[in-house]
Amino acid sequence: MNTPLTTERADVSSDLQWVHAQLEEIVTASVRVQVAQENLARAEALARDHLEDSKVRFLLLRLKESAGLNEGMAEQWATLLQECPDDLQIVRYCATRLVKERHLDEALSLVDRHLPASSENPSRLFSRAKLLSDIRAHEQSDQLFRRLILEHTDRNIRVEFAKRLRKRGLLADAYEAIRPVAAHLAPGSKAAELATALAADYAFFKGLEPEGGLAGKDVRIVSMKHAILHFRNRKIAEQPPEKAVSVALVTGSLGPGGAERQLTRLAGELTRMAAQPDRQLPDVVMRPEKVEVMVKQHTEPAGSTKKKQGLDFFLPVLVQAQIPVTEINKLPAISVAHQSVPDGRLGRMLEQLPPPVHYGVTRLAPVLRANPFDVVSLWQDGTCLFGALAALLAGVPTIHLVFRGLPPNIRKDRFREEYPELFQALAQVPGVYFVSNSRTAAEAYAQWLGIPVVRFHVLYNGVPDLATNASPVDEQKWEAFKQATADATETVGGVFRLEPDKRPQLWIKMAAMYLKRRPQARFVIVGEGRLHDNIVALAEELRVVDRLLLVGLSNHVGYWYSQMDASVLLSRYEGLPNVLIEAQLLGVPVISTPAGGAGECFVENETGHLLSDVEHPDMTEACDKVESMVDLVRSNESLKAQSRKRAQDLFSLDAMLSKFLSLCVPVMAVSENDERIDFPQMQRMLA
């Protein structure tokens, strides 16, 4: 009587085992994000009828992690852990997911609950050390590994510690961890192979760095540095100055930022000049011939559930101008082994690079080699990191490192350990130009890196005259706001992204204080960003909302400036703020914090005011300055004209284009005084 039921249960069990096997095979094959994304639909179809099974859900969640999905993942892992509280694999994924979402304290608490430090079980402590390493609590993990090595003779502890240190690039430390047991490891085992590889790598890199120079150092950064220094004696053939040059402008995205806007303008001007053989610029004989833009990413990744806002904001401008745009993320990754690297030592260095540098070497270097350029202009620190070595490998004669703000030692959220070694090594390579868009930033980079400031060239932003026409939508917004604030006698505005660096909350507080002084003022902010909802809530709390218009993104910024009596910028960090220049082009006075090169944009007390403190701006001072400039310039047409003329003279498109082309000469870098740089001396200074 029971036979059919027994057979049915056996069939169900067999079917579930088959699903497990299929899912495990898919997960194992889905190492790359794109492959995981492509495999996800098939895996979900396989799992659909077995979602009550914890192993099926575990494998499906692992695949989602590999596919780079984020939304709701922490909750799904937490739910699975409630069902399987003793499964340390699930604990690991729960903890690492919390770290991805920047909840390190919660991840540490989770580890403490499941693998407490008070345990006396060596096996549990070993698991704790590994899990601490997985969530990047490296200091605690390293201490525990070293304690276990002292207290126990298990070779696996040393092998595991060495493997994890090596993954972090700590070659010397990994070698020292495994060396005492290397001779006792089973020949042919993975552990023995690891020990052999570590010994060989250690011997190689010890020959590059001074004695003891590898201890505690990330060998990937050491490798990057010496791969760059491989080119410090490179010879660059001098070309006739009238030779037309091909230019690649490289950046991270085409989002709505100042650097992206400036790069887009420069690409447009270079392209127009290339198409106009008769166009001449004073004191410039170099001409552009071919212009392309290369961007790391301007489209959201496939399978992403959350759109990265505005990565393609300036793409339509480039497309309309028929400027070729290459998305580097979509280029095939070609391993170093399949590239032409004649020097064996260099090839070995290229096998061990920081991930961003490896990205550039495998994606950007091949396309630059196949499609040569005379000039590769790398914009912003992150682009320099992935692009500089790639450009050297491709034999690009002239390489620009274009800095667009204060250095990352000041902006801690943007700092990476690679940067000092990267830039100091590049300073020793002929044909590399250090370029900044303000004197302030150039001096800050020079001081940070210990590089003579004469190595830096200032390329001021080029800002065109702005049209004051409006779109129908913009006109409707302004007319509605004018009617709602019909009693207004002055308009204070700002053009900036609603992002933390721009401090829009502080701007709203300034507006609230100013409104108490001059109740008939109104306020306009042009820009969008993550803090939009916070701004609305704060404006409501401070009772400013009825006097405030949040325009959002607009392609008719000139129209909005033309409605303002003064423009205010309260940023913590800036390069050379385009918005301060744009406002002056329309005769609008500006008030700004002394962020980056803001003070180089206007004449103090004539076309603007600079506040005293960038970190803690005094809002009373800000209100005083706004009030002063509104009253000073409002009826003074000569001051408005002076403002426009200065902005046109210093920040014109022609001035920007002339300076850029002067930096496209493929010869040894020159100082601002046209004195040749002594590269051997530079190398000695930075050694």
Side-chain angles (χ1 to χ4, degrees):
M1 294 287 292
N2 292 332
T3 301
L5 183 59
T6 304
T7 303
E8 183 181 337
R9 285 176 178 167
D11 290 343
V12 171
S13 176
S14 175
D15 183 47
L16 186 58
Q17 289 175 359
W18 180 82
V19 170
H20 287 168
Q22 290 291 303
L23 288 174
E24 284 176 341
E25 185 178 320
I26 290 172
V27 171
T28 302
S30 301
V31 178
R32 291 178 55 205
V33 173
Q34 187 175 352
V35 175
Q37 291 169 353
E38 291 169 354
N39 288 339
L40 191 54
R42 179 182 160 217
E44 288 176 331
L46 282 168
R48 188 176 297 121
D49 297 329
H50 303 281
L51 292 176
E52 75 287 347
D53 181 76
S54 60
K55 185 171 182 179
V56 167
R57 297 214 310 283
F58 171 71
L59 291 167
L60 197 57
L61 284 176
R62 280 184 59 191
L63 185 61
K64 288 181 179 179
E65 290 281 359
S66 298
L69 301 187
N70 295 308
E71 197 167 346
M73 291 296 291
E75 293 79 5
Q76 293 178 63
W77 280 116
T79 300
L80 189 58
L81 183 59
Q82 287 179 342
E83 296 179 25
C84 311
D86 299 323
D87 190 321
L88 290 182
Q89 276 192 302
I90 298 175
V91 173
R92 175 180 177 270
Y93 278 98
C94 275
T96 54
R97 168 46 60 180
L98 287 169
V99 171
K100 284 180 183 177
E101 298 184 4
R102 300 184 181 181
H103 301 305
L104 181 58
D105 289 342
E106 291 180 38
L108 286 168
S109 297
L110 186 66
V111 174
D112 288 339
R113 282 200 305 274
H114 290 270
L115 292 166
S118 58
S119 174
E120 297 182 2
N121 183 328
S123 177
R124 301 284 288 179
L125 289 174
F126 186 30
S127 295
R128 175 181 170 84
K130 290 187 285 186
L131 190 47
L132 286 170
S133 173
D134 290 337
I135 65 169
R136 302 175 206 158
H138 295 308
E139 186 175 349
Q140 295 180 45
S141 173
D142 292 354
Q143 287 178 353
L144 183 51
F145 265 117
R146 290 192 169 97
R147 182 186 128 198
L148 290 169
I149 286 170
L150 288 173
E151 295 176 356
H152 304 280
T153 57
D154 187 350
R155 295 172 195 160
N156 289 330
I157 299 175
R158 283 185 174 273
V159 171
E160 185 66 31
F161 189 33
K163 184 170 70 175
R164 289 169 180 272
L165 288 169
R166 183 66 185 86
K167 190 175 181 181
R168 287 157 53 195
L170 299 175
L171 171 63
D173 305 75
Y175 171 71
E176 290 301 327
I178 206 169
R179 185 176 55 82
V181 298
H184 307 288
L185 299 172
S189 66
K190 287 186 177 181
E193 290 174 0
L194 173 65
T196 301
L198 285 171
D201 284 346
Y202 183 65
F204 175 75
F205 283 102
K206 196 168 64 167
L208 298 175
E209 288 288 293
E211 188 66 30
L214 288 177
K217 274 194 174 182
D218 186 339
V219 74
R220 295 169 297 186
I221 297 178
V222 172
S223 190
M224 173 197 73
K225 177 180 82 171
H226 286 281
I228 292 170
L229 292 178
H230 174 84
F231 296 94
R232 64 183 156 188
N233 296 318
R234 73 176 185 151
K235 303 299 180 185
I236 302 173
E238 293 200 31
Q239 301 291 335
E242 66 275 7
K243 176 185 180 293
V245 293
S246 54
V247 179
L249 300 170
V250 190
T251 187
S253 85
L254 294 172
E260 294 82 359
R261 178 184 293 108
Q262 192 64 19
L263 180 142
T264 301
R265 284 178 182 161
L266 178 59
E269 289 302 303
L270 288 167
T271 300
R272 277 187 281 278
M273 187 172 183
Q276 299 169 359
D278 296 333
R279 183 180 176 185
Q280 299 294 325
L281 293 172
D283 303 320
V284 175
V285 292
M286 183 69 68
R287 297 189 62 83
E289 177 184 44
K290 178 179 72 170
V291 182
E292 293 190 19
V293 170
M294 295 184 174
V295 56
K296 183 177 182 183
Q297 180 181 2
H298 63 66
T299 57
E300 60 181 306
S304 174
T305 58
K306 188 178 289 187
K307 181 177 173 61
K308 290 187 177 181
Q309 175 132 9
L311 290 177
D312 61 350
F313 185 77
F314 286 107
L315 182 62
V317 179
L318 295 169
V319 172
Q320 185 175 6
Q322 298 184 321
I323 299 170
V325 178
T326 298
E327 189 168 15
I328 302 168
N329 268 4
K330 292 186 177 178
L331 295 174
I334 299 175
S335 68
V336 172
H338 290 89
Q339 295 188 43
S340 175
V341 181
D343 187 287
R345 284 167 58 85
L346 176 61
R348 186 160 185 176
M349 295 174 207
L350 298 179
E351 291 172 357
Q352 304 189 56
L353 294 169
V357 186
H358 177 266
Y359 168 92
V361 166
T362 56
R363 283 182 171 79
L364 187 57
V367 76
L368 291 178
R369 204 179 276 119
N371 183 23
F373 289 91
D374 299 305
V375 181
V376 168
S377 189
L378 304 166
W379 287 51
Q380 305 193 90
D381 300 310
T383 307
C384 296
L385 181 59
F386 78 71
L389 181 55
L392 287 171
L393 287 166
V396 178
T398 301
I399 300 168
H400 296 166
L401 311 177
V402 184
F403 306 122
R404 301 294 304 176
L406 295 176
N409 66 313
I410 295 173
R411 305 184 68 171
K412 301 295 185 183
D413 58 318
R414 301 190 179 187
F415 181 79
R416 294 185 63 107
E417 295 293 334
E418 296 95 333
Y419 285 148
E421 301 276 12
L422 173 80
F423 295 129
Q424 287 170 352
L426 287 167
Q428 302 178 56
V429 178
V432 175
Y433 288 78
F434 287 71
V435 185
S436 176
N437 66 343
S438 73
R439 294 191 305 272
T440 304
E443 290 165 0
Y445 268 95
Q447 183 177 8
W448 169 47
L449 296 169
I451 296 173
V453 75
V454 294
R455 284 299 316 276
F456 289 79
H457 301 263
V458 176
L459 175 66
Y460 277 134
N461 294 354
V463 182
D465 289 333
L466 295 178
T468 57
N469 63 308
S471 69
V473 172
D474 285 335
E475 280 188 333
Q476 289 168 11
K477 286 180 181 178
W478 175 243
E479 290 303 322
F481 186 52
K482 271 209 309 187
Q483 290 179 19
T485 56
D487 64 330
T489 57
E490 61 189 277
T491 303
V492 178
V495 179
F496 50 84
R497 287 175 288 114
L498 304 183
E499 295 290 331
D501 284 356
K502 306 298 182 183
R503 296 195 288 210
Q505 295 102 322
L506 193 61
W507 204 99
I508 297 296
K509 291 176 182 177
M510 181 274 299
M513 183 181 291
Y514 192 82
L515 198 58
K516 289 179 180 177
R517 293 185 179 195
R518 298 172 81 146
Q520 290 178 300
R522 62 183 164 211
F523 306 91
V524 174
I525 297 177
V526 182
E528 189 52 88
R530 292 171 294 173
L531 296 177
H532 177 274
D533 293 346
N534 304 60
I535 298 312
V536 172
L538 182 60
E540 289 175 347
E541 179 187 337
L542 298 179
R543 299 181 181 180
V544 183
V545 70
D546 292 338
R547 310 293 296 187
L548 173 68
L549 174 62
L550 296 177
V551 175
L553 291 176
S554 173
N555 288 320
H556 296 81
V557 177
Y559 172 75
W560 291 106
Y561 283 123
S562 70
Q563 312 306 328
M564 300 176 191
D565 295 298
S567 182
V568 182
L569 186 69
L570 299 177
S571 300
R572 175 178 282 111
Y573 302 115
E574 283 291 348
L576 190 80
N578 283 334
V579 294
L580 300 182
I581 302 166
E582 291 171 344
Q584 291 176 88
L585 282 170
L586 290 170
V588 179
V590 294
I591 296 88
S592 175
T593 52
E600 298 170 44
C601 295
F602 55 86
V603 178
E604 178 65 20
N605 290 327
E606 292 184 20
T607 62
H609 280 302
L610 203 65
L611 301 182
S612 305
D613 191 352
V614 69
E615 283 300 323
H616 305 287
D618 183 336
M619 289 300 94
T620 300
E621 180 192 16
C623 289
D624 290 344
K625 300 294 189 185
V626 173
E627 198 170 5
S628 168
M629 290 312 298
V630 167
D631 293 341
L632 178 66
V633 177
R634 170 177 249 178
S635 58
N636 191 329
E637 286 301 320
S638 64
L639 275 179
K640 290 182 180 181
Q642 181 182 338
S643 171
R644 284 191 286 269
K645 185 177 186 309
R646 183 179 184 277
Q648 288 167 343
D649 289 347
L650 198 56
F651 305 108
S652 70
L653 295 178
D654 279 359
M656 175 264 297
L657 194 54
S658 296
K659 181 64 178 182
F660 181 85
L661 288 171
S662 76
L663 301 177
C664 291
V665 183
V667 295
M668 302 283 273
V670 295
S671 75
E672 293 291 345
N673 296 319
D674 292 331
E675 296 175 353
R676 291 294 179 91
I677 298 299
D678 185 341
F679 274 86
Q681 181 184 2
M682 176 74 67
Q683 290 160 9
R684 289 193 294 273
M685 290 172 60
L686 295 173

